[in-house]
Amino acid sequence: MTFSVAAATTAAIVPPPIPAPPTRAAETVTGRCAGCSARSKGLCGALTAGDLPDLSTTSRPLDLLSATPVVMEGEEAEAVFTVMSGMLKLYKTLPDGRQQITGFATAGDVIGLAVDSGYAYTAETVTASTVCRMSRTALRRLMERHPAVQGRLLAMTSVELSAAQDQILLLGCKTAVERVSSFLLALSRRSRPLADGTPSVFLPMPKVDIGAYLGLRPETLSRVLRKLEVAGAITRLTNDRIRIEDPAVLEAAA
Amino acid sequence: MTFSVAAATTAAIVPPPIPAPPTRAAETVTGRCAGCSARSKGLCGALTAGDLPDLSTTSRPLDLLSATPVVMEGEEAEAVFTVMSGMLKLYKTLPDGRQQITGFATAGDVIGLAVDSGYAYTAETVTASTVCRMSRTALRRLMERHPAVQGRLLAMTSVELSAAQDQILLLGCKTAVERVSSFLLALSRRSRPLADGTPSVFLPMPKVDIGAYLGLRPETLSRVLRKLEVAGAITRLTNDRIRIEDPAVLEAAA
DNA sequence: CGCTTAATTGACACAACTCAAATCTCGTGG
DNA sequence: CCACGAGATTTGAGTTGTGTCAATTAAGCG
């Protein structure tokens, strides 16, 4: 799972997140989760309304500013996080500092699932974001009580694996133009067209991050985007929005 | 599990640790699976001896020559295969014929798990191999009857995902020398040392395949191996076996 | 509105690729 | 058991797509 649209540049408050608010009468038992924007996605989508109390009592939402680390590669994996809004980048770092972004996470994506005790990657917000924290033990308990959660986890992991293998193909075989074209096409499939119906993509992350995702330097990315623009395939609307003028050209290049 | 840099331990998020291997061979009722070399690995490792009849009746072993395709990318995914012996390469192909090997499968690895109805990659033997076929519906039934199988599947998929992300790091960031060094080290961790105790790796696949896995041309791979040999890090024993003379040099290069 | 950071552009370098030829491997048949 | 031939591997020479370095321009923010 990866990119998508997202929004706010608005700042949010980091420090002390409010614990579960006291609940009200009728709807109370379902708690905060009932109205969550990611309610039907990720892990939570595997649960029925009646199960929501299990979620509400074991998870806690967090508002995060941009550039805030959520999990750190190698650190003890004590919790998983479901993205409710915003966007995060997931990356691995080599000893000498080189970084490879393995994906971008958006609403519904789950971050921090670990094979062993340590996180496999660092996750950091690229825009102000809201994530929902659940301890690993709570997740384990949730899986035991609700087998569907395990199935959902398997489904999500399988999709991620498939995406990772696509990325391996991209990084192992494709040229710079092909990588960028593939990236823009993949994004455009997940985002809504403009008012006039032409497809467009929103790129809230800095160019250097897109480059780090595609295995390219920002300079190379910049040159490729210019080339695609000259070729009439795209138009740069703003720094963070691109209109796809001719998907066919991109398809041909990807 | 395709081999890659991280031969991680058991999943922590995921319940099922490795059950003890079957103790007695006297259970004829369990049929062919009881003596299988992959009995304790892959999916089968999630089952206890008493469950083996379920396996024996729904799976079927196949002996394959080298260069035999087992599943084809995009084809309807009707079955999964557990590798019992030998080695297979898994790869994706671009429209113009470029191929990227996403992994090599050896004993215990499961091939053909698909997110949607089509296989995500082509799998082809690189040596004569034996695989065990199980239809998708049989697998589904097995999962229903034995929840541990689903857990095992999740664990295996998670390990694969982690390996895929390591490969993304390798392809996105590393130089040719770093790629080859990482590859040799990862292999050496999984293979037994020579009689005299020095670590060595066995490379039954052609060099062009190793290159296709590392995102390198065979010529480049050849030159890198020569450089590592001159540097005293390795020795070419035969065409398909390399002795690691100095792991530290490889570590430094990886 | 000024300052800091991000993005772009240009000039150049180099790691890896391409093309081509030589050499090695290994299975096969005599 | 050895010679043969097809394919694999290695080596060489030259090319090129990206990376690197540096300077300029644009964008975001207080």
Side-chain angles (χ1 to χ4, degrees):
Chain A
M1 201 81 71
T2 12
F3 19 67
S4 118
V5 207
T9 337
T10 333
I13 294 92
V14 198
I18 310 135
T23 48
R24 295 190 298 260
E27 277 290 283
T28 50
V29 322
T30 59
R32 135 175 53 73
C33 292
C36 176
S37 59
R39 166 69 184 88
S40 64
K41 304 173 192 166
L43 288 176
C44 312
L47 298 176
T48 60
D51 303 324
L52 290 188
D54 278 359
L55 270 183
S56 298
T57 56
T58 58
S59 65
R60 194 164 51 105
L62 299 168
D63 286 323
L64 306 171
L65 293 172
S66 66
T68 306
V70 176
V71 308
M72 295 285 283
E73 181 178 359
E75 256 186 21
E76 182 73 17
E78 293 169 345
V80 300
F81 301 83
T82 298
V83 180
M84 295 165 68
S85 69
M87 179 179 283
L88 296 87
K89 60 176 172 180
L90 319 181
Y91 62 89
K92 284 170 166 281
T93 309
L94 288 176
D96 66 357
R98 280 173 290 176
Q99 296 188 340
Q100 175 65 36
I101 292 182
T102 57
F104 296 99
T106 56
D109 291 343
V110 176
I111 288 166
L113 295 169
V115 173
D116 54 26
S117 62
Y119 291 118
Y121 48 75
T122 300
E124 184 182 315
T125 56
V126 296
T127 68
S129 306
T130 306
V131 302
C132 194
R133 181 187 195 277
M134 177 179 288
S135 77
R136 219 165 154 169
T137 57
L139 173 59
R140 199 173 298 121
R141 219 175 316 127
L142 194 69
M143 288 201 319
E144 286 159 8
R145 297 179 52 162
H146 306 285
V149 171
Q150 193 175 33
R152 178 61 72 108
L153 214 47
L154 176 56
M156 291 193 302
T157 305
S158 299
V159 170
E160 295 242 3
L161 176 59
S162 178
Q165 288 171 342
D166 286 339
Q167 194 68 358
I168 285 174
L169 176 66
L170 181 144
L171 293 171
C173 288
K174 296 187 182 179
T175 66
V177 171
E178 291 167 341
R179 293 181 197 195
V180 176
S181 299
S182 300
F183 176 70
L184 292 177
L185 279 175
L187 276 187
S188 73
R189 289 197 201 96
R190 313 173 133 260
S191 62
R192 219 171 327 144
L194 296 177
D196 64 356
T198 52
S200 77
V201 297
F202 177 50
L203 304 166
M205 69 294 270
K207 297 283 185 292
V208 66
D209 284 348
I210 298 175
Y213 177 63
L214 298 176
L216 300 173
R217 296 293 125 133
E219 295 96 329
T220 302
L221 175 62
S222 179
R223 287 185 245 269
V224 169
L225 287 175
R226 151 124 354 254
K227 183 184 283 189
L228 290 176
E229 192 164 27
V230 170
I234 63 173
T235 302
R236 321 279 282 276
L237 299 177
T238 66
N239 186 47
D240 59 7
R241 183 166 288 281
I242 289 176
R243 182 166 61 199
I244 313 287
E245 301 291 352
D246 193 344
V249 173
L250 292 184
E251 296 278 5
Chain B
M1 117 187 48
T2 46
F3 45 68
S4 165
V5 190
T9 45
T10 349
I13 282 285
V14 190
I18 311 130
T23 40
R24 288 169 301 171
E27 311 178 66
T28 50
V29 62
T30 59
R32 137 174 51 73
C33 292
C36 175
S37 58
R39 166 67 184 88
S40 64
K41 304 172 192 167
L43 288 175
C44 313
L47 299 176
T48 60
D51 302 325
L52 289 189
D54 278 0
L55 271 183
S56 299
T57 56
T58 57
S59 64
R60 192 165 50 102
L62 299 168
D63 286 320
L64 306 171
L65 294 174
S66 65
T68 307
V70 176
V71 308
M72 294 286 282
E73 181 178 359
E75 257 187 19
E76 182 73 16
E78 293 170 344
V80 300
F81 301 83
T82 298
V83 181
M84 295 165 68
S85 69
M87 179 178 281
L88 295 87
K89 60 175 174 181
L90 318 181
Y91 61 90
K92 284 169 166 282
T93 309
L94 288 176
D96 66 357
R98 281 173 289 175
Q99 296 187 340
Q100 176 65 36
I101 292 183
T102 58
F104 296 99
T106 56
D109 291 343
V110 176
I111 288 167
L113 295 169
V115 174
D116 52 27
S117 62
Y119 290 118
Y121 49 76
T122 299
E124 183 182 316
T125 55
V126 297
T127 67
S129 307
T130 308
V131 302
C132 194
R133 181 186 196 279
M134 177 181 288
S135 77
R136 225 173 156 178
T137 57
L139 173 60
R140 199 174 298 118
R141 220 175 313 127
L142 195 69
M143 287 202 318
E144 286 159 8
R145 297 178 55 160
H146 305 285
V149 171
Q150 192 176 32
R152 178 58 73 106
L153 215 46
L154 176 55
M156 291 193 301
T157 305
S158 299
V159 170
E160 295 241 6
L161 176 59
S162 177
Q165 288 171 342
D166 287 337
Q167 194 69 357
I168 285 173
L169 176 66
L170 180 144
L171 293 171
C173 289
K174 296 188 182 180
T175 66
V177 171
E178 291 167 341
R179 294 180 197 197
V180 176
S181 299
S182 300
F183 177 70
L184 292 177
L185 279 175
L187 276 188
S188 74
R189 290 196 202 95
R190 324 175 111 253
S191 62
R192 208 163 316 189
L194 296 177
D196 64 357
T198 52
S200 77
V201 297
F202 178 50
L203 304 166
M205 68 294 268
K207 298 285 185 291
V208 66
D209 284 347
I210 298 175
Y213 177 62
L214 299 176
L216 300 173
R217 298 292 127 141
E219 297 95 327
T220 302
L221 175 62
S222 179
R223 286 184 246 268
V224 169
L225 288 176
R226 149 122 357 250
K227 183 184 283 191
L228 290 177
E229 192 165 27
V230 170
I234 63 173
T235 301
R236 322 279 283 273
L237 300 177
T238 67
N239 187 45
D240 59 8
R241 183 166 288 281
I242 289 177
R243 182 167 61 201
I244 312 287
E245 300 291 353
D246 193 345
V249 173
L250 292 184
E251 296 278 5

